[in-house]
């Protein structure tokens, strides 16, 4: 096994690896229905709608850390069987979809690594809106790190 951050036990869907459309989300509202201003430097992207149907909403978790995010290849190891869905308490499946989970077991030799850890922060979950279709080739790491919002740094909106 090579670097732990490269391990994927299931193949991602082509639709997730090479989406036909990518959007940047410009507005957000908390679960309390209050408008929420995304912090400077935030760039939230997702694949666009499927089969020509535009997405008008998307959801994201709001987290914080006191230090910059860094991948820790030697983080805690775990197995899927250690996790349950936060809301339902049901076991988690082998999906590439992000979910909020509780860790109920401690498989020290599991195949997954908790490579990045952050804490949920108010408003916890946001509903994103005002998607703008962008050329994914223009979403370079340097542009993302620049801290400028989309409207300040044109990304050749299509």
């Amino acid at each position: 096994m090579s670097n732990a951050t490269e391990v994927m036990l299931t193949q991602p869907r082509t639709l997730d690896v090479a989406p036909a459309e990518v959007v940047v989300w410009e507005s957000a509202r908390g679960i309390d229905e209050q408008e929420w201003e995304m912090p400077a430097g935030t760039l939230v992207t997702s694949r666009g709608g499927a089969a020509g149907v535009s997405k008008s909403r998307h959801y994201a978790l709001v987290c914080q850390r006191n230090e910059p995010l860094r991948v820790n290849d030697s983080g805690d190891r775990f197995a899927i069987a250690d996790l349950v869905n936060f809301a339902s308490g049901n076991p988690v499946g082998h999906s590439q979809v992000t979910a909020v989970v509780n860790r109920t077991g401690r498989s020290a030799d599991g195949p997954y690594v908790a490579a990045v850890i952050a804490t949920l922060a108010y408003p916890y979950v946001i509903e994103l809106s005002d998607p703008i279709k962008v050329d994914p080739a223009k979403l370079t790491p340097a542009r993302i790190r620049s801290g400028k919002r989309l409207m300040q740094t044109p990304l050749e909106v299509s």
Side-chain angles (χ1 to χ4, degrees):
M1 177 162 67
S2 63
N3 184 336
T5 59
E6 296 172 5
V7 175
M8 282 187 63
L9 300 182
T10 60
Q11 289 297 314
R13 298 180 303 172
T14 301
L15 154 82
D16 292 325
V17 174
E21 180 179 277
V22 174
V23 296
V24 170
W25 298 93
E26 284 291 294
S27 301
R29 181 174 51 194
I31 56 175
D32 59 3
E33 298 293 319
Q34 298 298 310
E35 293 299 314
W36 189 72
E37 185 174 340
M38 289 188 266
T42 302
L43 182 68
V44 181
T45 65
S46 72
R47 62 180 159 80
V53 177
S54 295
K55 271 185 169 178
S56 61
R57 290 184 299 196
H58 195 65
Y59 296 89
L61 299 175
V62 177
C63 300
Q64 70 178 25
R65 257 180 77 97
N66 292 330
E67 306 88 29
L69 292 176
R70 294 199 191 337
V71 174
N72 177 5
D73 292 338
S74 60
D76 286 349
R77 299 195 75 77
F78 65 96
I80 289 291
D82 296 340
L83 308 176
V84 295
N85 182 287
F86 178 80
S88 70
N90 293 329
V92 175
H94 290 277
S95 170
Q96 299 300 325
V97 176
T98 303
V100 179
V101 298
N102 277 330
R103 185 172 180 182
T104 58
R106 295 285 171 193
S107 298
D109 60 348
Y112 294 101
V113 174
V116 177
I117 297 175
T119 303
L120 277 173
Y122 181 83
Y124 312 110
V125 178
I126 53 175
E127 179 181 337
L128 301 160
S129 59
D130 301 325
I132 297 174
K133 192 175 3 174
V134 296
D135 177 350
K138 303 295 182 186
L139 295 174
T140 63
R143 177 153 306 184
I144 293 168
R145 282 193 303 271
S146 74
K148 295 179 181 173
R149 300 290 299 139
L150 175 65
M151 297 313 287
Q152 297 167 334
T153 308
L155 295 173
E156 296 185 22
V157 176
S158 18

